[in-house]
Amino acid sequence: MAAPEGREAAGLELRAAIGFNGHIPFGLICHPNKEHLLYPLGCTVVIQELASKKQAFLHGHTNNVSCIVVSRSGTFVASGQVTFMGFKADIILWNFWKKELLARLSLHKGKIEGLAFSPNELYLVSLGGQDDGSVVVWDVLTREAVCGSPASARSAGNTTIVECSGCRDEMFVTAGNGTIRVWELDLPNRKIRPTECQTGQLRRVITSLKIADDDNYFYAGTSSGDILKVNTNNKLMTEYGPKEKFSLGITALILLKTGDLIVGTGEGIVALCKGSNYKAMKRIQVQGGVTSLTCRGEGHQFFVGTDMCQMYRINYTAFKEELIAACHNEAVNDIVFPVGTSDLFATCSKNDIRVWHTPENRELLRIVIPNMTCYAIEFMKDGKSIISAWNDGKIRAFMPETGQLMYVINNAHSLGVTAIAATNDCKRIVSGGGEGQVRIWAIGEKTRKLEAVLKEHISTVSCIKLKKNDQECVTASLDGTCIIWDIVRSVRKQMILANTLFKCVCYHPEEYQLITSGTDRRIAYWEVFDGSAIRDLEGSLSGSINGMDITSDGAYFVTGGDDHLVKMWDYKEGTVTHVGVGHSGNITRLKICPGNKYIVSVSADGAILLWKYPDFP
């Protein structure tokens, strides 16, 4: 069912995004105005003010952003994306100050591997991915392609990096697996002409490039962990070093005015190297392999992005790292608010549970259980503990302030604990497992006792919701049933059957109706009393619906799933009122915060998006 004639669904406004795709090489960029950071998150480019942490978003890509670059004056931003095999991948040219899309440049197929602006912003050079293999020069003013060419010789490997000259618009360098080329643009003939650089006996995979401002030479970092210095004029390698190579390769470089280099490595080392022998003078360790290094101003400060999706600020003189942003780098499985507050929420993922502060969108607490995955979390109503469901079959409870472990229920379920809920009086926990059992636990001051085992489901329990009076609960399962249980007498009251794998279920606040959804993309309303179907809506055009939540007055509910859209529905009408576009991964769960200030949605690519709750007339 679509919206009634003449009424289109409005857009949800994205208020903040917690997340940073740290896997993209050179994706974190400090803007030349020294006041903003730019970085990719899914199919969005985020612009964040350094001082106030305010965010703006560049929406326009239809798939994950694969590279991003800012012109020297800071006026233009260009970003490239990935797309499906054989389809054209867009480059978008943006105006930074107006935050508007200027042009879509479409020639490459599959993926945009690299982008670079010429020093006077006349040209943009783009490099296609390995299925495309071409390099194209675009005129920034006319937004037309000037010319193109295969990026590397047939005998060489893939080209992965492009970097423009420091002072001449007509020159750029490309590099990659066993290839370094200096290109000259011949504008009258619309040709680009490459010259191979000679590295003698050395065979290297180039992973990063930096050209000196005067254009006389450039540095190339390699996957073997050394640095090559190449003369731009005669195209010969003049020196390389250091003797002791950096472990896991050099993944990012900054060339300082002094001629020294700052090097980032795959092992997470950030080092200051002297320009003559490349010996590391100072070094620090960050979490995850370095994927981005970017200067602020003249280099008195610089920023580091890692593949653990962490951002650091480093002061050049002190050479000490300061973590400025962190986020999940695996799928987020659940999100939950404590009772009555919208200032905090918790999320869980592989290895950890994190507690976030919404006014500043920053991480307050991280609870780490290495190599385990947390499937579901819940704040106890009294605020004294966070309970969590883990794939090793344990239920763990933690202190919300310190993250200290309070207790563990071992062997709670045989195939992992997949869903969890707690009663309002904080005396019982209801858990669901991968084997399909539902278990009720009595929680005392010092004791945890198994009260009942409800064996009806034959597959994973995906969601559990309790009634306000603590006497009844509903469990949804991937076996195509939702069961309403009397948890005082431990018996089944009703069973709901549908041809779907149920992913989520919600009680209407008045508790006489239920809504469910799952892999058949339908949203179904059911009578709690006898389990009969009331209505059935088409929830999504493609992919499963994985999460839903309903407002405290029951007027509206939200859904999200594999179509990457957050949808807000009118409960009575059964129509979509608002749609939020921003996720590029499958949405796994979403919640409306207490007091209806925001909607928070989490996805399989590790992103957490906060949407402004819409104003209804």
Side-chain angles (χ1 to χ4, degrees), residues 437-440 450-455 490:
Q437 292 188 11
V438 176
R439 297 186 165 196
I440 301 168
L450 179 61
E451 270 191 352
V453 180
L454 310 172
K455 298 184 185 177
S490 309

Side-chain angles (χ1 to χ4, degrees), residues 23-42:
H23 301 284
I24 290 175
F26 328 119
L28 177 67
I29 298 173
C30 187
H31 191 273
N33 70 2
K34 308 184 190 123
E35 286 165 19
H36 293 86
L37 282 178
L38 291 90
Y39 54 90
L41 175 62

Side-chain angles (χ1 to χ4, degrees), residues 507-568:
Y507 274 107
H508 184 276
E510 290 169 14
E511 298 182 340
Y512 54 82
Q513 285 180 358
L514 285 174
I515 46 174
T516 62
S517 198
T519 53
D520 65 349
R521 315 193 305 273
R522 315 291 298 173
I523 295 168
Y525 293 46
W526 310 87
E527 202 68 71
V528 169
F529 170 66
D530 59 357
S532 59
I534 304 168
R535 80 178 338 165
D536 184 43
L537 312 169
E538 179 159 27
S540 136
L541 294 172
S542 64
S544 154
I545 292 178
N546 305 323
M548 57 169 41
D549 195 27
I550 193 162
T551 54
S552 48
D553 60 0
Y556 298 95
F557 65 96
V558 289
T559 61
D562 293 1
D563 62 356
H564 306 174
L565 300 174
V566 175
K567 291 186 182 171
M568 185 135 203

Side-chain angles (χ1 to χ4, degrees), residues 15-19 48 53 55 323-327 343-347 354-366 608 610:
R15 204 192 121 246
I18 300 175
Q48 181 167 321
K53 298 272 198 282
Q55 290 176 324
L323 182 67
I324 54 168
C327 53
D343 284 355
L344 291 180
F345 65 89
T347 55
R354 303 188 190 205
V355 179
W356 307 87
H357 187 227
T358 38
E360 294 168 2
N361 306 317
R362 67 188 175 89
E363 187 183 301
L364 286 180
L365 175 68
R366 192 185 307 183
I608 303 170
L610 283 82

Side-chain angles (χ1 to χ4, degrees), residues 64-274:
N64 285 345
V65 175
S66 57
C67 57
I68 156 177
V69 65
V70 179
S71 68
R72 185 172 282 190
S73 73
T75 305
F76 298 109
V77 176
S79 52
Q81 67 171 65
V82 284
T83 177
F84 303 104
M85 191 76 179
F87 285 88
K88 290 230 163 88
D90 284 355
I91 299 163
I92 299 183
L93 186 65
W94 312 86
N95 178 316
F96 174 82
W97 305 112
K98 295 182 180 162
K99 317 275 187 278
E100 66 184 23
L101 186 150
L102 299 174
R104 273 179 201 278
L105 314 175
S106 302
L107 262 184
H108 295 287
K109 284 199 169 91
K111 176 185 180 185
I112 309 298
E113 191 74 54
L115 291 166
F117 279 105
S118 69
N120 301 311
E121 306 180 357
L122 297 183
Y123 307 112
L124 172 69
V125 184
S126 62
L127 182 62
Q130 62 177 21
D131 303 321
D132 177 88
S134 61
V135 59
V136 175
V137 177
W138 305 84
D139 187 312
V140 172
L141 278 175
T142 64
R143 296 164 197 162
E144 300 283 324
V146 181
C147 54
S149 158
S152 50
R154 287 222 167 134
S155 57
N158 293 328
T159 302
T160 51
I161 309 173
V162 56
E163 189 73 39
C164 278
S165 143
C167 54
R168 288 168 46 220
D169 282 309
E170 287 73 38
M171 186 201 105
F172 62 93
V173 179
T174 62
N177 185 350
T179 167
I180 306 175
R181 288 177 144 191
V182 176
W183 299 75
E184 295 281 343
L185 170 65
D186 174 359
L187 194 61
N189 298 317
R190 295 185 69 147
K191 284 267 190 303
I192 38 177
R193 308 183 195 280
T195 313
E196 288 289 342
C197 293
Q198 301 306 317
T199 55
Q201 294 297 307
L202 247 73
R203 290 288 164 267
R204 291 287 187 264
V205 178
I206 309 297
T207 46
S208 48
L209 272 181
K210 269 293 170 280
I211 305 182
D213 283 347
D214 60 7
D215 261 6
N216 289 331
Y217 56 91
F218 62 87
Y219 292 100
T222 72
S223 63
S224 320
D226 50 9
I227 301 166
L228 319 182
K229 184 176 181 179
V230 181
N231 182 316
T232 321
N233 305 316
N234 63 13
K235 324 289 191 274
L236 293 177
M237 181 182 82
T238 56
E239 53 186 74
Y240 69 98
K243 286 236 170 7
E244 283 179 35
K245 298 187 174 71
F246 287 100
S247 165
L248 299 182
I250 290 173
T251 47
L253 283 174
I254 295 178
L255 181 55
L256 298 167
K257 292 271 185 286
T258 56
D260 295 341
L261 289 162
I262 292 171
V263 171
T265 76
E267 196 188 19
I269 298 278
V270 179
L272 172 66
C273 294
K274 275 281 170 254

Side-chain angles (χ1 to χ4, degrees), residues 361-577:
N361 306 317
R362 67 188 175 89
E363 187 183 301
L364 286 180
L365 175 68
R366 192 185 307 183
I367 301 166
V368 179
I369 308 274
N371 305 324
M372 297 298 166
T373 301
C374 184
Y375 288 130
I377 42 175
E378 180 83 279
F379 279 101
M380 281 295 214
K381 297 283 188 291
D382 57 12
K384 288 183 183 157
S385 62
I386 298 173
I387 54 170
S388 55
W390 295 80
N391 67 336
D392 58 356
K394 297 181 180 178
I395 294 171
R396 293 180 171 90
F398 303 96
M399 303 262 208
E401 281 89 25
T402 59
Q404 225 175 328
L405 186 66
M406 288 172 70
Y407 60 83
V408 179
I409 302 176
N410 289 311
N411 309 324
H413 288 274
S414 60
L415 296 176
V417 189
T418 52
I420 199 161
T423 55
N424 289 308
D425 61 12
C426 304
K427 290 187 176 148
R428 282 179 301 170
I429 291 175
V430 182
S431 65
E435 75 295 318
Q437 292 188 11
V438 176
R439 297 186 165 196
I440 301 168
W441 308 86
I443 305 295
E445 281 289 309
K446 299 260 173 10
T447 58
R448 268 66 62 186
K449 195 169 110 241
L450 179 61
E451 270 191 352
V453 180
L454 310 172
K455 298 184 185 177
E456 292 262 352
H457 291 300
I458 53 171
S459 184
T460 303
V461 178
S462 54
C463 188
I464 301 173
K465 291 285 164 59
L466 284 137
K467 255 192 174 173
K468 293 191 190 82
N469 65 6
D470 292 344
Q471 291 177 3
E472 183 185 295
C473 79
V474 59
T475 57
S477 166
L478 303 186
D479 62 7
T481 64
C482 278
I483 298 179
I484 299 168
W485 306 91
D486 179 328
I487 54 175
V488 179
R489 296 176 22 238
S490 309
V491 291
R492 180 180 96 185
K493 288 172 104 172
Q494 284 304 334
M495 187 185 234
I496 291 166
L497 288 159
N499 189 9
T500 179
L501 312 181
F502 283 114
K503 292 285 189 78
C504 45
V505 58
C506 279
Y507 274 107
H508 184 276
E510 290 169 14
E511 298 182 340
Y512 54 82
Q513 285 180 358
L514 285 174
I515 46 174
T516 62
S517 198
T519 53
D520 65 349
R521 315 193 305 273
R522 315 291 298 173
I523 295 168
Y525 293 46
W526 310 87
E527 202 68 71
V528 169
F529 170 66
D530 59 357
S532 59
I534 304 168
R535 80 178 338 165
D536 184 43
L537 312 169
E538 179 159 27
S540 136
L541 294 172
S542 64
S544 154
I545 292 178
N546 305 323
M548 57 169 41
D549 195 27
I550 193 162
T551 54
S552 48
D553 60 0
Y556 298 95
F557 65 96
V558 289
T559 61
D562 293 1
D563 62 356
H564 306 174
L565 300 174
V566 175
K567 291 186 182 171
M568 185 135 203
W569 301 75
D570 183 308
Y571 188 88
K572 285 202 181 71
E573 302 275 325
T575 55
V576 177
T577 61

